[in-house]
Amino acid sequence: MQLVVARIGRAHGIKGEVTVEVRTDEPELRLGPGAVLATDPASVGPLTIETGRVHSGRLLLRFEGVRDRNGAEALRNTLLIAEVDPDEMPEDPEEYYDHQLMDLDVVTKDGEEIGRITEISHLPSQDLFVVERSDGSEVYIPFVEEIVVEIDLEEQRAVIDPPPGLIDDRAEVASSRDDEAATERDDEAATEADA
């Protein structure tokens, strides 16, 4: 099975290094020297990692055959793809590979069905589940411990405890309550003004 493990960013310096947006929890395993990675677009690769280092909190990689800034810049926005055994599990029991989370049913703690995970979006601040609802709309659920309270791979479901407003239905309920409260305040204000 193939997994996207990084995206190449801009060139760094003049000797062929590139910045990398890491998309794996195990960069030392997937992005170490000697690793051969497929690419998207496929015409760019495969790429073999020659060296890697961390500079100012960013991972920098150099690939075999890329020796200057122009060569490095030509790789910008290329996705790096590793071949992974589909049965392999992360070392940390609280971590999951994207392919394990795809197509999980998402339900609330109360059993309300929300939808199915169709994508995992890796943002700088956090990961998001992109969940398709039965009506075709999408909802974004932060993959954080406070909201995603359980991942059950055997039952193929993710259990969430969403705060008010995260799921559309709850936002409508909250806004209709707010509208009712605003109407009551307006009525009270009008009664006081008449008095």
Side-chain angles (χ1 to χ4, degrees):
M1 158 173 265
Q2 294 189 323
L3 296 178
V4 174
V5 293
R7 184 182 66 81
I8 297 175
R10 64 179 182 259
H12 179 82
I14 60 171
K15 296 184 178 181
E17 285 185 312
V18 293
T19 61
V20 176
E21 175 190 310
V22 176
R23 295 189 178 176
T24 176
D25 289 333
E26 300 170 318
E28 63 286 341
L29 176 65
R30 308 277 181 227
L31 300 171
V36 179
L37 302 167
T39 60
D40 182 8
S43 60
V44 175
L47 294 173
T48 302
I49 297 173
E50 186 173 283
T51 63
R53 66 186 178 103
V54 176
H55 175 73
S56 298
R58 300 255 349 187
L59 179 61
L60 302 178
L61 296 179
R62 181 178 303 141
F63 299 99
E64 288 181 6
V66 179
R67 294 281 171 247
D68 60 22
R69 186 173 186 85
N70 291 339
E73 196 59 43
L75 298 174
R76 191 175 199 161
N77 292 323
T78 298
L79 297 177
L80 299 175
I81 302 166
E83 190 67 39
V84 177
D85 178 352
D87 296 326
E88 182 180 327
M89 299 290 286
E91 291 178 17
D92 184 343
E94 296 295 314
E95 291 179 1
Y96 302 92
Y97 292 131
D98 286 5
H99 71 273
Q100 295 173 301
L101 302 171
M102 292 297 291
D103 293 325
L104 292 185
D105 293 321
V106 178
V107 298
T108 65
K109 287 188 347 181
D110 302 333
E112 176 188 354
E113 293 184 14
I114 303 301
R116 182 170 292 242
I117 298 172
T118 58
E119 183 182 339
I120 291 92
S121 180
H122 300 279
L123 304 176
S125 58
Q126 66 191 11
D127 295 336
L128 290 176
F129 289 159
V130 179
V131 178
E132 185 176 321
R133 303 193 76 172
S134 59
D135 64 4
S137 66
E138 291 182 335
V139 64
Y140 300 96
I141 299 175
F143 186 21
V144 294
E145 191 176 341
E146 296 79 20
I147 296 173
V148 180
V149 295
E150 179 186 0
I151 298 290
D152 187 337
L153 295 179
E154 285 186 22
E155 294 292 323
Q156 287 290 290
R157 67 183 187 152
V159 179
I160 64 171
D161 185 15
L166 182 65
I167 307 297
D168 295 350
D169 300 336
R170 293 174 182 228
E172 290 171 18
V173 170
S175 69
S176 65
R177 270 189 270 131
D178 292 343
D179 290 345
E180 289 173 14
T183 303
E184 287 177 21
R185 283 194 302 272
D186 291 346
D187 290 346
E188 288 173 9
T191 304
E192 288 176 13
D194 290 341

